[in-house]
C-alpha cells in the first residue's frame, strides 16, 4: 500500500515519502504548513489514491478527546426512563460512536483525518496518546473493549496555532508542507484549469508571488486563493498585459478581493501605491 499522488493532487516527492513512511511505521502523520497549502485535501487524496474510505474529525476549540471515542447521553436516557421508554434497558442505545470508534470498527483500512488538532486545548493531544498507540479503548458504560479491526492511516493537521506536547510529537511522523514554488504552482494550476492560457498564468503567478512577498502583509494569499483569482481573471477576460502594468496607480492587483482578505492589507497596498506615485513625481 503506497501513495503516489492522484491526478487531482500535485504531491511533491518529499510529501509522498512522508506519507508512505507513516504508513510503514504505522504512526500518525502530523502535517503542518500555512493555511491553504493542501493539508486537509491531502487526506482526501490519500484515501482516493489508496482506494480507502475517509473519516474526518474536525477539531474545534471545544472538542474533547473523549468525543473521538464515544459519548454517553445520560440525559436522554433519564428522560426516556421517566417516559417509560423500553429502550432504557439497553445502555448501548445511548452510546454515540466517535470518529475513532468508527475508524477502529471499519472493516476496511480507513484514512482517519484529525483536522486542525491545534485548535483544541493543550490536553487534547495527550489524551489521545494511549488510544492511538494501542489502537483500542474501553467503554466503561458497557464494559466492552473496542479494538481496531485494521489500523487506520491517521493524518493529523496543524496550523501551528499552538505548540503540541513533546510526548505526542514523539509518536508521530512529521512533515511540513512548504509553500509551493512557481513550478509546482504551475502544475497545480494545470490540474485545476487544464489548457488555461500560459501567458496569463505566467503573469498571474508573477503578480501573486510578488503580492505574497510584500513586507508587512498580515495574511499572505494561499494556493486556493490563487485558483479563485485565476478563475476570475479568465471570467473577466483580464489580459496578461493588464497584469504586467505595475505602475503606482495599478499596484493593487485587479480583482484583488480574491487575494487580499482584510482591510489592513488593502491599506498597505494603497500606501505603497501612494509612495510610488510620490517618488515618480520626484518626492
Amino acid at each position: 500500500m503506497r501513495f503516489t499522488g492522484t491526478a487531482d493532487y500535485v504531491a511533491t516527492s518529499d510529501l509522498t515519502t512522508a506519507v508512505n513512511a507513516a504508513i510503514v511505521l504505522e504512526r500518525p502523520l502530523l502535517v503542518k504548513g500555512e493555511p491553504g497549502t493542501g493539508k486537509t485535501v491531502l487526506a482526501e487524496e490519500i484515501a482516493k489514491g489508496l482506494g480507502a474510505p475517509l473519516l474526518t474529525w474536525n477539531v474545534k476549540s471545544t472538542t474533547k478527546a473523549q468525543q473521538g471515542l464515544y459519548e454517553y447521553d445520560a440525559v436522554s436516557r433519564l428522560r426516556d426512563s421517566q417516559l417509560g421508554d423500553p429502550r432504557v434497558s439497553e445502555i448501548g442505545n445511548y452510546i454515540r460512536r466517535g470518529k475513532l470508534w468508527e475508524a477502529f470498527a471499519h472493516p476496511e483500512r480507513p484514512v482517519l483525518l484529525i483536522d486542525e488538532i491545534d485548535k483544541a486545548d493543550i490536553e487534547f493531544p495527550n489524551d489521545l496518546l494511549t488510544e492511538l498507540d494501542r489502537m483500542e479503548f474501553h467503554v466503561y458504560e458497557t464494559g466492552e473493549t473496542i479494538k481496531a479491526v485494521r489500523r487506520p492511516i491517521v493524518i493529523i493537521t496543524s496550523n501551528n496555532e499552538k505548540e503540541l506536547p513533546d510526548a505526542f510529537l514523539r509518536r508521530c511522523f512529521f512533515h511540513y508542507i512548504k509553500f509551493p514554488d512557481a513550478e509546482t504552482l504551475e502544475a497545480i494550476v494545470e490540474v485545476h484549469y487544464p489548457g488555461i492560457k500560459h501567458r496569463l498564468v505566467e503573469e498571474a503567478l508573477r503578480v501573486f508571488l510578488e503580492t505574497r512577498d510584500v513586507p508587512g502583509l498580515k495574511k499572505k494569499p494561499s494556493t486556493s486563493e490563487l485558483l479563485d483569482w485565476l478563475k476570475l481573471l479568465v471570467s473577466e477576460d483580464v489580459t496578461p498585459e493588464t497584469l504586467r502594468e505595475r505602475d503606482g496607480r495599478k499596484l493593487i492587483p485587479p480583482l484583488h478581493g480574491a487575494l487580499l482578505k482584510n482591510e489592513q492589507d488593502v491599506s498597505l497596498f494603497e500606501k505603497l501605491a501612494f509612495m510610488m506615485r510620490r517618488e515618480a513625481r520626484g518626492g
Side-chain angles (χ1 to χ4, degrees):
M1 180 176 279
R2 292 186 62 81
F3 176 66
T4 57
T6 69
D8 300 321
Y9 187 85
V10 178
T12 58
S13 59
D14 58 336
L15 178 56
T16 57
T17 297
V19 171
N20 290 315
I23 293 173
V24 170
L25 293 173
E26 296 188 328
R27 296 278 191 180
L29 175 62
L30 174 61
V31 184
K32 290 188 178 183
E34 64 179 84
T37 48
K39 300 186 298 297
T40 300
V41 177
L42 172 63
E44 298 170 2
E45 296 303 319
I46 291 173
K48 186 187 301 182
L50 299 179
L54 173 67
L55 300 172
T56 301
W57 184 9
N58 294 306
V59 177
K60 303 177 181 178
S61 59
T62 56
T63 301
K64 302 298 180 185
Q66 178 64 31
Q67 293 171 301
L69 306 178
Y70 68 94
E71 291 182 276
Y72 169 51
D73 192 349
V75 174
S76 291
R77 192 181 187 207
L78 175 61
R79 184 187 63 240
D80 288 349
S81 67
Q82 293 170 338
L83 296 173
D85 193 322
R87 295 173 69 249
V88 299
S89 61
E90 178 53 60
I91 195 171
N93 291 326
Y94 302 90
I95 301 289
R96 184 170 61 192
R97 295 184 178 190
K99 292 298 180 180
L100 277 177
W101 188 333
E102 289 182 26
F104 288 2
H106 208 289
E108 300 178 60
R109 188 181 189 185
V111 174
L112 172 63
L113 169 62
I114 303 176
D115 202 22
E116 298 189 327
I117 194 172
D118 50 328
K119 279 188 175 180
D121 65 54
I122 194 62
E123 294 304 320
F124 179 86
N126 280 335
D127 290 344
L128 287 178
L129 286 178
T130 301
E131 287 75 18
L132 290 177
D133 269 352
R134 297 181 180 176
M135 286 290 150
E136 67 177 48
F137 63 90
H138 187 69
V139 182
Y140 295 98
E141 290 78 4
T142 63
E144 61 184 321
T145 297
I146 306 301
K147 296 184 179 182
V149 176
R150 300 285 304 277
R151 180 178 285 268
I153 299 168
V154 181
I155 310 298
I156 303 173
T157 71
S158 169
N159 286 327
N160 254 351
E161 290 184 9
K162 62 169 67 79
E163 289 296 321
L164 298 172
D166 289 344
F168 179 79
L169 294 175
R170 283 196 298 271
R171 289 165 168 81
C172 297
F173 191 92
F174 172 76
H175 182 73
Y176 184 87
I177 298 182
K178 298 176 183 177
F179 193 82
D181 57 21
E183 182 179 348
T184 305
L185 285 173
E186 282 189 41
I188 292 171
V189 169
E190 182 61 29
V191 164
H192 287 81
Y193 305 126
I196 190 172
K197 296 177 182 177
H198 177 71
R199 287 181 59 241
L200 177 64
V201 172
E202 191 176 58
E203 289 298 327
L205 285 179
R206 181 182 59 80
V207 174
F208 173 75
L209 292 171
E210 286 178 357
T211 300
R212 281 183 53 87
D213 286 341
V214 170
L217 206 61
K218 183 177 181 181
K219 182 194 176 304
K220 294 183 178 183
S222 67
T223 308
S224 60
E225 288 158 340
L226 166 65
L227 295 172
D228 287 344
W229 187 51
L230 275 168
K231 185 176 181 178
L232 288 173
L233 293 178
V234 172
S235 174
E236 296 299 320
D237 202 22
V238 176
T239 65
E241 289 72 26
T242 300
L243 294 176
R244 200 175 297 123
E245 295 175 358
R246 301 289 283 169
D247 60 30
R249 295 181 302 279
K250 299 180 180 178
L251 183 65
I252 297 181
L255 301 166
H256 63 269
L259 298 178
L260 305 176
K261 297 301 179 72
N262 59 70
E263 62 276 18
Q264 295 96 319
D265 288 343
V266 174
S267 177
L268 174 62
F269 270 80
E270 290 173 344
K271 289 176 182 177
L272 290 172
F274 173 76
M275 292 170 61
M276 289 179 65
R277 287 196 297 269
R278 188 170 62 180
E279 289 177 4
R281 291 196 300 266

